[in-house]
Every structure is written in structure tokens, then in C-alpha cells.
Amino acid sequence: MRFATRVLLLQLATVVAVVGVCTAVFVYLGVQQLRAESEASALNIARTVAEQPDVRELVAQFSEDPGTPDAADLRGGDLQRIAAAVTDRTDALFVVITDDHGIRLAHPNEELLGQEVSTPYADVLAGNEVVDWERGTLGESARAKVPVYPPGDSPGAPVGEVSVGFERASVFDDLPALLLGIAVAALAALAIGALAALLLRRRWERLTLGLQPEELVALVQNQAAVLDGVGDGVIALDPDGIVRVCNDAAERMLSLDAPVGRALDGLGLPPEAAAAVREGSHREGVIVGDRVLYLDTHPVVRDGRSLGDVVIVRDRTDLVALTERLDTVRAMTGAMRVQRHEFANRLHIATGLIDADRTAEARDFLAEQVRRGPIDFPVERLEVVPDPFLQSVLGAMGIEAGERGVRLEVAEDTLLHGRLRDVEDVVAVLGNLVDNAVSAAVRGGEPRVVQVALLDAGEDLVMTVSDSGPGIPDDRDVFARRTDAPDDGAPDRVHGLGVGLPLSRELARRRGGDVWIIDRGGEAHGAVFGARLPGAVIPADEKEES
């Protein structure tokens, strides 16, 4: 049996028990009230009869006579007529009048006149009023006995009694109507209780989506196991944007402090992360502290009802760093491939001269190669860059740019004394700026040139990258992430479909620096970008000391 059904039956049983107890109490109180009313009526009638002057006088006369009254005289006597008239008017079972010896002076059964009553009368003749249920010659009845005093303003001892009774059937004439009313009220209470139980069950199942407590327990156990057992962050939001579930991984990656129960806008998330959650989309390369995160938001719907959203948070910091390293290795591999090809060509030339017995010319050629040294990168003024790694990276970029018909050169005012400390961030920012400039130069006119200037100021690395492209329109924000492909239809990571300029700026700002547009360019020249990376250079004096 389902738990909701058990709860419903328990509620119904409780309602039935409560209504049954209340019904019994009301029936008991109703019966007692009817008994009290009949006893009060009998007492009032008895008092009224006992206070009548004729009754007092006649009863006193009979009490003064030491003998027993004659039954024949009593049958037509005044007391019998008074008692009969009162009985007819009040629908009483009997009205009995006795003398001080308990002899019946008036009685509904005339054959019992002149005989002693069958119920006790000593207390009444002692001056007490007695109200009780007793069984006499006329059956069980609710009766009241009142003493009759002799005439006069200062009566003495009672000279008789008046007893008035109502039979049980007449006392409970109103009991069926009372019971019917109580039954109707009880049925109404049962109906209301059953309706309330049904509504409560429906509300319960709606709140729990039809799940039973044992299913909820299993769900909580599974949720705890899943949330604590996965490396991804999970945040569950209700339809009002309130955080209902947040595992430790999400708190750690997003730097949240007790987010459960708080609104999304009050968590202090970066604008880009908050926008991704509100829009219900996925977003890559979101910088939070020193982490690069991936956010993916999914709406949760059950039975056509929206339950909120679930946000999946994945840490891509190591993946981005690895990607940058792979890009650097790829660039270096391409440069080495070009150098190998060029070196092979030179060996072919030397071999051909030797095979042609032109030994002198071969010697001169090889001497020239020894004098020139390794194969030159196609980057003008690359020798002014002292850092070997940065020189190799620029050389590899120059080769790739040359394959696209763009010449890469180092600016004459480049002045770099130290060597790189954080290669990954420098390569990520510089590589994205150069790739972006090369793509812009390809769309520009001749000559297609990209120029890089590098300066170090203490531990800060400052770089500028300019191109010969058409410039940047005033209405375009190149640092905003794009969701569409470039005009040529080829996905371009520089323009927001991959790491690109937005991530370059975020990486620089994470270090306390920035990436910005120095000049948007125009007809005379292309755009100029600037970047500053604090702590990216080991100064020359520290390098010498080390």
C-alpha cells in the first residue's frame, strides 16, 4: 500500500474516532439535558400545586383526621379534580397528593386512593424537596416530591406531599430529533474530514511529484552519492532562482559561501557566469578567480511543470593550459618542419655542387651557411627579442602568418631585458592577439603586415600588436563572446567561438593586468591592441643573480 494511501486511511480513522467520541459526548449531554428538563418541569409543577391555597387547606384537613380517608369520598373530591386537571394540562404521568401518613388523597388510579404510596416519603415530610427517577405503581418516571404546608403565613410542619412524575417515553420525545441533528453534524464532520484528507493527499503528492517517502529517501541517498561522487559542480535552482542544491565542487570552483537558500543574483558570480545561468545557455572560458570554467544550464521539467534549472560547472583550467601548451608545441613543430625542409634543400644544393665536381663552389656555399648559422625565421628584427622561448614562439607565428600571406615583424622600439616567467599566459595572450591581427591583415590590402612591440617594466610585460587590416567598426565589441560564425563561415577562435580575445582579457585581468584597444584603426591603418601582464617577466638583475 502506498504511503499516501496509508496516511489517508489513518487520517480518516482519526476523523471517525474523533467524530465518534464527540457524538457520544453530545448524545450523553443531550440525554442528561432532557432528564434535567423533565425533572425541573416536574419540580415546578409540584411546587405550583403544593402552593395552591385549596390544596394546602384540604390536605391539612385530611391530616388532622386521625382515621383513614374513605376512598369513595376521595374519588369525587376536590383534590382528585385538581390533580386530574393539572395532569391533563401538563401531560404528566401522574399528580399524586398525600397526607402526612403517605395516604393517597389524589391519584390517577382511583382504586389506589386511600392507600399508602409505594415510594419513600419521609424526606419530603421532613421539609425537603426530592427530585429523582423512581419506579412506582405507574412504572419508572422522573418525579419531583414537594412538601405541602398547612395554610397560614407561618406554616409549621408539612402536612402532606405533592408528587409529579413524567414517564420515560415522554421525557425522551425530543431525543430522536436530537439524535438526528447530532448524526447530521457527525456525517458533515466526517465528510469535511475526508475531503480535507483527500486534499492533503493531493497536495502531498503534488509537492513530492508523486514520490513516496521511501522513494524520497532513496532519492536523497542517490543525490548525496552523485553530488559528492562527481568532480563536476552541480547547482539546482528553483523557478524563482533560489539555490536549492549546491555540491562542494560547485562551491569550491565558484568560490561560494553557503549558497543554499540564496538567490542567484546574491551569490556574487561574475556577470558572464550569471548571464549564462539566467539565459539557460552554455558558456566556455568563464574566469572565476584563478579558474577557467565551463557552465552548462539545463531546464528541468516534469509532467509539463517547470521545476527550475540545473547548472553543471566543469573546471577547464588544466584543459586550457594544456591547450595552450599544445598550440605552442604545434607552432614550434611547424617551425621545425619548415627549418628541416629548408635545411634539406640546402643539403641538396651542397650535394649537387659536389656531384657536379664544383667543389670550390660547394665549399663557398657551406662556408656561407656556417657563417649565417641556423635557418632564419621569417620575422624581421626577431633578434632584438632576447628570450629564446619567446623568440621561437614569434618565429613559429611568423611562419604561420607567412603561409597566409602576412609578414610578421618586431617593432624597432621593442626593449626586453628579462626572460619570461609564466610562459602559458604570455603565449595565450600574445598568440590570440597575433592570430587576431593576422586574420584582420588577411582581410586588408597590401602590404599585409602585423607588428609586435614588447617592453618590460620590472616584472610587468607590456605588448602592443598592430595590423594592416580594415580596422574595427565602432559598433562592434570584440571582447564580447559571439555565438555566430564569422562572415567567411569558418569558425574563428579569435572572435569568441574558442579561447579568443575575451579569454585573453580575462587571463590578463586575473593577473591584475588588462587587454584593451589602443586604436580601432580605419582607412590609414589597422587596429592596435595593447596588453599588460604583471609578474610575467623575471627582471634581468634577478636573472643574473640566479
Side-chain angles (χ1 to χ4, degrees):
M1 184 182 295
R2 293 166 60 88
F3 178 80
T5 303
R6 294 199 301 268
V7 172
L8 175 62
L9 295 178
L10 178 61
Q11 291 173 332
L12 291 177
T14 303
V15 171
V16 170
V18 172
V19 171
V21 171
C22 293
T23 301
V25 171
F26 279 118
V27 169
Y28 175 77
L29 294 178
V31 171
Q32 294 301 317
Q33 182 178 1
L34 292 176
R35 290 169 60 99
E37 289 178 355
S38 62
E39 292 172 355
S41 298
L43 179 61
N44 291 331
I45 294 172
R47 286 174 176 175
T48 302
V49 174
E51 292 294 332
Q52 291 185 17
D54 294 342
V55 173
R56 295 173 65 181
E57 183 177 353
L58 292 174
V59 171
Q61 290 176 2
F62 281 108
S63 296
E64 291 176 356
D65 187 357
T68 301
D70 186 13
D73 296 336
L74 295 176
R75 290 189 184 94
D78 293 336
L79 291 177
Q80 182 70 7
R81 288 196 300 272
I82 294 173
V86 172
T87 301
D88 294 337
R89 290 197 304 270
T90 60
D91 293 327
L93 175 63
F94 60 83
V95 175
V96 177
I97 303 174
T98 69
D99 60 9
D100 56 353
H101 293 90
I103 302 301
R104 300 183 181 96
L105 303 178
H107 194 279
N109 188 355
E110 295 182 351
E111 294 180 357
L112 299 178
L113 292 175
Q115 300 179 17
E116 186 177 359
V117 294
S118 60
T119 57
Y121 55 88
D123 287 345
V124 181
L125 295 180
N128 300 318
E129 294 179 343
V130 177
V131 179
D132 199 0
W133 284 74
E134 293 180 338
R135 178 175 294 277
T137 58
L138 298 177
E140 184 180 9
S141 62
R143 62 185 65 190
K145 299 177 181 179
V146 177
V148 177
Y149 292 95
D153 295 335
S154 299
V159 293
E161 71 169 1
V162 174
S163 177
V164 178
F166 288 91
E167 63 178 339
R168 175 179 292 274
S170 64
V171 170
F172 297 111
D173 284 343
D174 295 333
L175 186 59
L178 177 63
L179 294 178
L180 178 61
I182 294 176
V184 171
L187 292 176
L190 287 175
I192 294 174
L195 179 61
L198 290 173
L199 292 178
L200 184 60
R201 175 187 178 182
R202 182 178 179 183
R203 177 64 175 172
W204 170 280
E205 294 190 342
R206 182 177 180 184
L207 290 176
T208 61
L209 304 179
L211 298 177
Q212 300 303 302
E214 56 273 11
E215 296 174 322
L216 292 176
V217 171
L219 183 62
V220 171
Q221 293 173 342
N222 295 336
Q223 172 185 297
V226 171
L227 294 181
D228 297 335
V230 299
D232 295 341
V234 179
I235 301 176
L237 305 172
D238 66 10
D240 297 327
I242 306 299
V243 177
R244 296 306 178 189
V245 176
C246 182
N247 64 353
D248 295 338
E251 293 185 14
R252 182 180 65 256
M253 287 187 280
L254 295 174
S255 300
L256 302 178
D257 182 18
V260 177
R262 296 166 57 188
L264 174 66
D265 296 335
L267 297 180
L269 295 177
E272 188 176 4
V277 175
R278 283 193 295 268
E279 295 169 2
S281 60
H282 68 275
R283 195 70 59 91
E284 296 184 6
V286 178
I287 302 297
V288 178
D290 58 350
R291 300 179 184 274
V292 181
L293 305 178
Y294 168 83
L295 301 180
D296 193 9
T297 304
H298 298 278
V300 179
V301 179
R302 182 182 175 92
D303 298 332
R305 175 186 173 192
S306 176
L307 303 180
D309 300 283
V310 172
V311 183
I312 306 299
V313 185
R314 296 187 177 95
D315 193 346
R316 296 293 180 87
T317 305
D318 295 336
L319 180 61
V320 170
L322 181 60
T323 301
E324 294 300 331
R325 291 190 179 98
L326 291 177
D327 287 343
T328 302
V329 171
R330 180 180 58 83
M332 296 299 297
T333 302
M336 293 178 66
R337 176 180 55 81
V338 173
Q339 288 187 359
R340 182 191 61 80
H341 181 71
E342 183 64 21
F343 186 73
N345 290 338
R346 294 183 182 185
L347 288 180
H348 286 312
I349 294 174
T351 302
L353 290 174
I354 293 173
D355 291 342
D357 292 330
R358 300 168 64 176
T359 307
E361 294 181 8
R363 287 178 178 275
D364 293 339
F365 178 75
L366 292 176
E368 176 65 19
Q369 300 309 309
V370 173
R371 183 184 62 82
R372 291 179 58 183
I375 304 300
D376 293 334
F377 287 110
V379 179
E380 297 184 15
R381 292 181 292 276
L382 184 60
E383 65 276 1
V384 301
V385 179
D387 186 90
F389 188 86
L390 187 57
Q391 190 178 82
S392 300
V393 171
L394 287 173
M397 292 179 181
I399 294 174
E400 289 188 347
E403 293 176 352
R404 301 180 66 182
V406 179
R407 185 177 77 252
L408 179 64
E409 63 182 27
V410 178
E412 296 179 357
D413 55 354
T414 294
L415 185 61
L416 186 63
H417 299 291
R419 60 183 177 86
L420 298 184
R421 173 181 283 132
D422 296 329
V423 177
E424 289 82 4
D425 286 352
V426 174
V427 171
V429 175
L430 180 60
N432 288 324
L433 292 179
V434 171
D435 286 349
N436 181 69
V438 170
S439 298
V442 169
R443 295 192 295 270
E446 296 292 341
R448 298 173 177 173
V449 180
V450 172
Q451 188 176 81
V452 177
L454 301 169
L455 299 171
D456 59 349
E459 296 183 354
D460 294 353
L461 175 63
V462 180
M463 62 184 77
T464 62
V465 179
S466 61
D467 60 70
S468 59
I472 303 173
D474 294 336
D475 59 348
R476 181 177 176 187
D477 183 6
V478 296
F479 294 106
R481 293 187 177 273
R482 294 176 54 187
T483 58
D484 57 340
D487 297 338
D488 58 4
D492 182 6
R493 66 174 185 169
V494 172
H495 293 96
L497 299 179
V499 177
L501 290 176
L503 183 56
S504 297
R505 168 176 276 185
E506 291 170 351
L507 289 174
R509 288 180 173 177
R510 184 183 65 184
R511 304 177 58 93
D514 201 359
V515 175
W516 68 95
I517 299 176
I518 299 176
D519 190 347
R520 286 182 172 270
E523 297 180 358
H525 58 82
V528 181
F529 284 82
R532 183 175 65 87
L533 300 177
V537 177
I538 301 176
D541 52 354
E542 294 184 12
K543 179 176 66 174
E544 293 173 358
E545 293 175 0
S546 61

